[in-house]
Amino acid sequence: MKRTDKWFRILFSLALTAFTVYALLDTFVIARVYETVEQTAALRVGDAGAETLSAQACESAAEPVVSETCYDDGQLRIQIETYRYAESNVYVADIQTTDPQALLTAFAQSSYGRNVTAATSETAEEVGAVLAVNGDNYGSRETGYVIRNGVLYRDSAARDQEDLVIWADGSFSIIRESEVTAQELLEQGAVQVFSFGPGLLEDGELLVGTGDEVDRAKASNPRTAIGFVGEGHYVLVVSDGRTEESEGLSLYELALFLKELGVSTAYNLDGGGSSTMVFLGRVVNVPTSGRSVKERAVTDIIYV
């Protein structure tokens, strides 16, 4: 009887271990495609109290302007600048556009699903993006609203989740999932909804303090953020981190930087190893994944 009990305990332990390993793989590794998606293929901002490392102006011209730091086709104007702020290199894409729905999103491998990933540069090339940054990495989580390019993909709310909504007129709002359903947002005109966070600025006021952080993330990290300056005027911001040259920013430092740029509403996107900016097919920043300097594969991008 004792020998039988011993073998039962061993088998039970092995089964429990196998289930735990599978659960971890299912959560973080195993890719599951839920839906294949057909993807749709600026004036300089203020000083922000930081040292500007690159400041080549985007000169207006009758013909389209394209350079390493500038794109201007008469309807879309993008200026890339690099700042030195809080011992970190910060890259700002200042965007001015006549199209209120110029900010688009794309899924990795043209697929909505779980753990379906690709490098930001790969997805950007697939959709022909002029400019792209990583999104909220929705596919690493099972909850949190997902509305992309006017389509509702996930309506399961996450507890205490703060989202960014981009409306049909191009304006931004910070909302809490506990206060409104995804379907209601869609009916009210939401075009994009991101569920990472937190919100950084609203009406020009700071939404984070010095002690705020994302889960257990370090205080200084590579960061990605998106901001609304005014009608047709946006910024996408990426900071390097985790290197000797660039320490990384806290959420509070990121919010202060955006406020000094003149941003009204700003939102924190997936950061750390995910933080990547791509402009005209070139990775602008220095992404770090683990101990390596390389792009981390992510589930989605924001692009123009």
Side-chain angles (χ1 to χ4, degrees), residues 34-55:
Y34 300 142
E35 184 176 344
T36 301
V37 179
E38 183 176 349
Q39 315 256 55
T40 304
L43 289 174
R44 183 181 167 190
V45 291
D47 187 7
E51 178 187 359
T52 306
L53 303 183
S54 67

Side-chain angles (χ1 to χ4, degrees), residues 4-250:
T4 302
D5 290 344
K6 178 181 178 181
W7 280 108
F8 176 79
R9 287 195 296 271
I10 291 174
L11 290 172
F12 179 79
S13 177
L14 289 173
L16 182 61
T17 300
F19 176 78
T20 302
V21 170
Y22 172 78
L24 289 172
L25 289 173
D26 185 51
T27 301
F28 299 108
V29 178
I30 298 174
R32 299 184 185 279
V33 175
Y34 300 142
E35 184 176 344
T36 301
V37 179
E38 183 176 349
Q39 315 256 55
T40 304
L43 289 174
R44 183 181 167 190
V45 291
D47 187 7
E51 178 187 359
T52 306
L53 303 183
S54 67
Q56 182 180 352
C58 202
E59 301 293 343
S60 297
E63 297 295 328
V65 175
V66 179
S67 72
E68 287 190 357
T69 59
C70 175
Y71 176 91
D72 187 349
D73 64 11
Q75 295 181 319
L76 172 65
R77 188 175 192 178
I78 302 172
Q79 175 75 48
I80 306 293
E81 293 197 31
T82 304
Y83 293 86
R84 187 69 180 170
Y85 188 84
E87 303 301 322
S88 303
N89 293 333
V90 187
Y91 309 85
V92 177
D94 187 70
I95 305 161
Q96 293 194 37
T97 177
T98 59
D99 181 0
Q101 297 186 31
L103 294 176
L104 300 170
T105 56
F107 295 132
Q109 302 182 41
S110 299
S111 298
Y112 166 70
R114 183 173 175 182
N115 297 323
V116 181
T117 63
T120 296
S121 59
E122 293 175 2
T123 307
E125 181 179 9
E126 179 184 334
V127 297
V130 175
L131 169 72
V133 298
N134 61 287
D136 67 358
N137 214 18
Y138 77 90
S140 64
R141 304 177 299 280
E142 294 183 333
T143 58
Y145 297 161
V146 179
I147 295 178
R148 301 298 158 86
N149 301 327
V151 178
L152 173 59
Y153 291 95
R154 189 167 69 196
D155 60 3
S156 53
R159 184 178 180 182
D160 299 325
Q161 177 60 45
E162 200 168 60
D163 292 356
L164 172 69
V165 179
I166 302 181
W167 302 99
D169 65 358
S171 61
F172 285 16
S173 293
I174 306 292
I175 62 96
R176 289 192 175 275
E177 293 186 353
S178 60
E179 298 174 352
V180 61
T181 68
Q183 183 60 42
E184 287 171 340
L185 290 173
L186 191 66
E187 292 171 355
Q188 292 167 16
V191 177
Q192 318 286 355
V193 174
F194 303 102
S195 57
F196 195 87
L200 300 170
L201 295 169
E202 190 169 30
D203 296 325
E205 299 299 322
L206 294 173
L207 297 179
V208 293
T210 55
D212 290 325
E213 201 40 78
V214 179
D215 295 330
R216 299 180 181 179
K218 296 179 180 179
S220 296
N221 253 317
R223 303 285 181 181
T224 302
I226 184 171
F228 175 80
V229 181
E231 184 178 353
H233 193 178
Y234 310 93
V235 293
L236 292 173
V237 175
V238 167
S239 75
D240 287 338
R242 301 176 181 172
T243 68
E244 292 184 0
E245 182 181 355
S246 188
E247 181 177 325
L249 302 179
S250 68

